Amino acid sequence: MRFLLRDRDGGLKPMDAEQLRECAHKMVDFIADYYKNIESFPVLSQVQPGYLRELLPDSAPACPESLQAVLDDVQNKILPGVTHWQSPEYFAYFPSNSSVAGFLGEMLSAAINMVGFSWITSPAATELEMIVLDWLAKALKLPDEFLSTGKGGGVIQGTASEAVLVVLLAARDKVLRRVGKDAIGKLVAYSSDQTHSALLKACKIAGIHSENCRVLKTDSSTEYSLSPESLSEAISQDIASGLIPFFLCATVGTTSSTAVDPLPALGKISNRNGLWFHVDAAYAGSACICPEFRHYIDGVEEANSFNMNAHKWFLTNFDCSALWVKDRSALIQSLSTNPEFLQNKASQGNMVVDYKDWQIPLGRRFRSLKLWMVLRLYGLENLQAYIRNHVELARKFEELVKLDPRFEVAAPRNFSLVCFRLLPTHQNNLESANTLNRELLDAVNSTGKLFISHTVLSDKYVLRFAVGAPLTEERHVVAAWTTLQEKASELLRKSQE
């Protein structure tokens, strides 16, 4: 079957309902088979850099090829170069969830294929996004100020990196309107050394001087959370030096170890000193729909903005990063443009929300469809059970680590991430311990049986085991631990030879 239909005049007919029906059935079968057989692939791609250029032609085809030929190339040439994030043996970084509901929502978004920068371009896209983010805010028990029915509201960004950038810009401009634009060199942003690097990139983009980015040190005494005392001291010193503190990013579920910053205390310090207080819960925010985890975001009522990634651990296909703000006017004043060609009665009359003014780009996809479908097709009770299952699997892995005296748990487990390390035979040699764990990471990942990642905590090279793939079961966790033990035994035996 050629993937080309022509109209009566012999021209290209790129969209045809019956052609779509036939080809889409074939594609869905291919995708379903991929998921059915996903455990047969090495989790971490084993190819070498540049492998694909040797397999594909130098230029695009002049004539159409068949869909089957393309799918054959996907199977034989593309999939070997894919790291399989949806594999049940994927335990690296943080999860990037896919689901039937999320996939169907993505299909529907692709079918409608609108560019919803303003309300008039597709009213349903704007209004569904407002409604579905109000639903999620209520599930998280966020303060009413974050709902669209008041002065705040939610917006879907592409990633948490975009979310922190837009609120940083809003915070910057809010301060500069008060003190004058020439004071930008005095603005100071605060975070811990566990805060995601996206904040430092946002500061670069926003023109915040690198020497005014305060990255405050954490350690095991606070379980790698940001100390309110260190924040207060840094702010006091900066004020005394004539600088202007303006932004704090706190984290619930840090990337390295899922540490949780003390939001109530940090929020009070921020409010007392006039800082914009942003809470990054990109990973762990999903867990907070469960009553037993909701306390981790106590203090969010002090925040100006709150962010979680539904595409990490909430069964919503990438990308879907939910951001809520208490004062949407701050975003709009910073990011709004109003060229003549975009003006319309609804927008000019301030009767609607135009999400182009809440984000960096102009265009945006109909991303709320997939989140809406996830919430409707699964329901909050099933989503809570899904989160709890992963947390329980991580607890079981943690117990396995504790039962083997050759290993240690390197940080408290708050959610579904376990940080651990292999102990060297010479306990006090940090360098050899770090080398040993680097070698263990490489050894287990090169098997293709699982994929894990690492971090560094208190100068120690630490392995991270993040449970969160939709297909992961207890047998996959046990098998991963068995592989880790086997490779650890080999390395320790070699070190003693």
Side-chain angles (χ1 to χ4, degrees), residues 31-51:
I31 294 168
D33 287 341
Y34 166 72
Y35 276 100
K36 185 177 181 179
N37 301 309
I38 197 168
E39 292 185 54
S40 66
F41 297 100
V43 187
L44 177 64
S45 175
Q46 305 295 306
V47 302
Q48 296 301 311
Y51 90 100

Side-chain angles (χ1 to χ4, degrees), residues 134-432:
D134 281 353
W135 282 7
L136 188 51
K138 291 174 183 176
L140 291 164
K141 294 183 170 54
L142 296 183
D144 288 347
E145 293 98 316
F146 286 116
L147 301 179
S148 65
T149 49
K151 294 181 178 180
V155 56
I156 297 176
Q157 304 284 342
T159 63
S161 301
E162 294 170 46
V164 74
L165 173 58
V166 296
V167 296
L168 184 82
L169 292 172
R172 178 200 67 182
D173 292 350
K174 186 177 180 180
V175 171
L176 293 181
R177 282 193 295 272
R178 176 171 55 85
V179 299
K181 63 182 180 180
D182 292 338
I184 190 170
K186 296 182 177 181
L187 300 188
V188 185
Y190 301 85
S191 68
S192 84
D193 58 3
Q194 301 300 306
T195 302
H196 197 281
S197 57
L199 175 62
L200 293 180
K201 180 179 281 191
C203 286
K204 285 184 178 181
I205 296 170
I208 306 304
H209 295 191
S210 59
E211 63 269 23
N212 288 348
C213 296
R214 300 285 177 265
V215 179
L216 304 176
K217 188 174 177 57
T218 64
D219 57 39
S220 58
S221 68
T222 61
E223 299 182 349
Y224 300 102
S225 68
L226 176 57
S227 160
E229 291 76 20
S230 66
L231 175 65
S232 287
E233 182 179 351
I235 290 174
S236 296
Q237 290 177 354
D238 286 332
I239 292 174
S241 300
L243 299 175
I244 305 172
F246 86 107
F247 189 86
L248 168 65
C249 181
T251 308
V252 176
T254 58
T255 302
S256 281
S257 66
T258 65
V260 177
D261 290 335
L263 303 189
L266 297 177
K268 286 182 172 57
I269 295 168
S270 297
N271 290 337
R272 190 164 61 241
N273 291 280
L275 278 68
W276 183 293
F277 182 33
H278 177 63
V279 176
D280 175 358
Y283 158 72
S286 298
C288 296
I289 66 165
C290 300
E292 65 269 32
F293 299 120
R294 172 57 179 77
H295 68 92
Y296 285 115
I297 59 171
D298 284 353
V300 70
E301 60 273 8
E302 305 283 351
N304 299 88
S305 50
F306 178 85
N307 173 231
M308 64 156 280
N309 284 349
H311 60 243
K312 273 191 167 68
W313 199 15
F314 207 69
L315 291 175
T316 307
N317 293 41
F318 187 82
D319 55 347
C320 187
S321 184
L323 169 68
W324 290 270
V325 292
K326 280 184 177 175
D327 177 15
R328 59 177 174 259
S329 69
L331 276 185
I332 294 168
Q333 288 184 68
S334 184
L335 300 170
S336 177
T337 56
N338 190 32
E340 179 64 35
F341 58 83
L342 295 181
Q343 293 180 16
N344 61 86
K345 187 182 296 185
S347 297
Q348 302 313 112
N350 293 319
M351 297 182 286
V352 296
V353 164
D354 288 335
Y355 276 128
K356 70 178 179 62
D357 300 328
W358 298 43
Q359 62 177 26
I360 300 300
L362 174 67
R364 59 199 330 270
R365 299 188 301 118
F366 201 167
R367 289 178 290 208
S368 58
L369 274 174
K370 54 191 172 186
L371 182 55
W372 186 52
M373 293 190 79
V374 165
L375 288 167
R376 291 192 64 186
L377 294 181
Y378 298 140
L380 290 174
E381 290 184 358
N382 281 322
L383 290 166
Q384 289 169 340
Y386 173 75
I387 295 289
R388 289 172 178 138
N389 176 57
H390 284 153
V391 173
E392 176 61 16
L393 291 177
R395 187 195 65 78
K396 289 179 179 177
F397 181 84
E398 182 183 42
E399 287 302 313
L400 292 172
V401 174
K402 290 179 177 178
L403 288 171
D404 191 329
R406 301 175 302 171
F407 289 84
E408 71 171 4
V409 174
R413 180 191 56 77
N414 291 321
F415 303 100
S416 66
L417 172 70
V418 180
C419 293
F420 67 106
R421 63 195 286 262
L422 178 61
L423 297 171
T425 51
H426 303 293
Q427 295 285 342
N428 295 323
N429 191 330
L430 181 61
E431 184 177 345
S432 65

